[in-house]
C-alpha cells in the first residue's frame, strides 16, 4: 500500500453547525496524519477555480455560493491509500444515500450541503492540494 495525500475540506454547513472537532477527530482515529490545516473564508474566484471541472453543471453557481457562505477548514491528510480510504469514511455524495456512520450521513444536510469534500484521484489530489497550500506548508 502506498502512502498518499488527499485534500479535505470541512464545508460551511458543518463548520456553522459546530462539527469541526468531531470531524477532525474522526480523521485522526481513521489513521490520517494532518499534514496542514487552515481555516479560510473562500472568495468566489478561489471556489470557482477549485470546482472548475463542474463549470457546466446546473448546480455550479449554487455550489460556489454555498462554499463561500462562511468559513471552511482546509486540510491535507496523509495515510496508506488515503484517497480511497477517505472516500469510504465520508460516504456517498448524497447524505441520504451514504452508509450509516459515514461523515456525510452524520453531518450532511443534502446533496449540496454534504459536510465535507475529498479528492477523488491522485491527479485531482495534487491539483487540489496545490490550489490551497504552498510547497513549504506541506513539506
Ligand atoms: P463528490 O466528489 O462526492 O464531492 O461529488 P462531485 O464531485 O460529483 O460534486 C462536487 C460537489 O458538488 C458535491 O460534493 C456537492 O457539494 C455538489 N453537488 C454534487 N451533485 C449535486 C447536485 O446534484 N446538486 C447540487 N445542488 N449540488 C451537487
Amino acid at each position: 500500500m502506498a502512502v498518499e495525500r488527499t485534500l479535505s475540506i470541512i464545508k460551511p454547513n458543518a463548520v456553522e453547525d459546530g462539527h469541526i472537532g468531531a470531524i477532525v477527530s474522526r480523521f485522526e482515529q481513521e489513521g490520517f496524519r494532518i499534514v496542514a490545516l487552515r481555516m479560510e473564508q473562500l472568495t468566489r474566484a478561489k471556489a470557482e477555480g477549485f470546482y472548475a471541472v463542474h463549470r457546466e453543471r446546473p448546480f455550479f453557481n449554487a455550489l460556489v455560493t454555498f462554499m463561500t457562505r462562511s468559513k471552511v477548514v482546509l486540510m491535507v491528510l496523509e495515510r496508506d491509500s488515503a484517497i480511497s480510504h477517505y472516500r469510504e469514511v465520508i460516504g456517498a455524495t448524497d447524505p441520504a444515500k451514504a452508509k450509516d456512520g459515514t461523515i456525510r450521513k452524520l453531518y450532511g444536510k443534502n446533496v449540496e450541503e454534504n459536510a465535507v469534500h475529498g479528492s477523488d484521484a491522485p491527479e485531482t489530489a495534487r491539483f487540489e492540494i496545490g490550489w490551497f497550500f504552498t510547497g513549504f506548508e506541506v513539506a
Side-chain angles (χ1 to χ4, degrees):
M1 275 191 292
V3 173
E4 290 176 333
R5 288 180 173 188
T6 190
L7 190 276
S8 167
I9 305 178
I10 304 179
K11 296 185 180 185
N13 70 292
V15 174
E16 290 162 8
D17 293 345
H19 299 310
I20 296 174
I23 292 173
V24 171
S25 179
R26 174 69 180 276
F27 289 143
E28 288 191 319
Q29 284 162 18
E30 293 284 346
F32 290 96
R33 184 173 80 84
I34 300 172
V35 176
L37 182 155
R38 180 172 80 245
M39 204 169 188
E40 184 170 318
Q41 170 72 54
L42 296 184
T43 60
R44 281 196 82 84
K46 229 174 186 180
E48 283 171 0
F50 179 74
Y51 279 123
V53 291
H54 295 308
R55 206 171 21 232
E56 306 303 327
R57 310 277 284 274
F59 58 81
F60 180 71
N61 267 317
L63 176 61
V64 170
T65 298
F66 162 56
M67 291 299 288
T68 56
R69 181 170 85 195
S70 58
K71 288 183 185 177
V72 298
V73 175
L74 305 166
M75 285 178 282
V76 177
L77 302 179
E78 182 178 87
R79 58 156 276 167
D80 287 343
S81 305
I83 294 166
S84 60
H85 189 73
Y86 182 97
R87 301 283 304 190
E88 273 173 40
V89 172
I90 67 172
T93 305
D94 183 351
K97 296 177 187 154
K99 287 187 192 151
D100 283 348
T102 60
I103 289 176
R104 283 171 163 170
K105 183 72 164 194
L106 288 168
Y107 307 117
K109 279 191 186 141
N110 53 52
V111 71
E112 180 175 279
E113 298 196 20
N114 58 4
V116 284
H117 166 85
S119 311
D120 62 5
E123 318 81 69
T124 345
R126 263 190 297 280
F127 165 77
E128 292 179 352
I129 290 169
W131 188 253
F132 288 118
F133 291 96
T134 64
F136 181 73
E137 288 172 307
V138 297

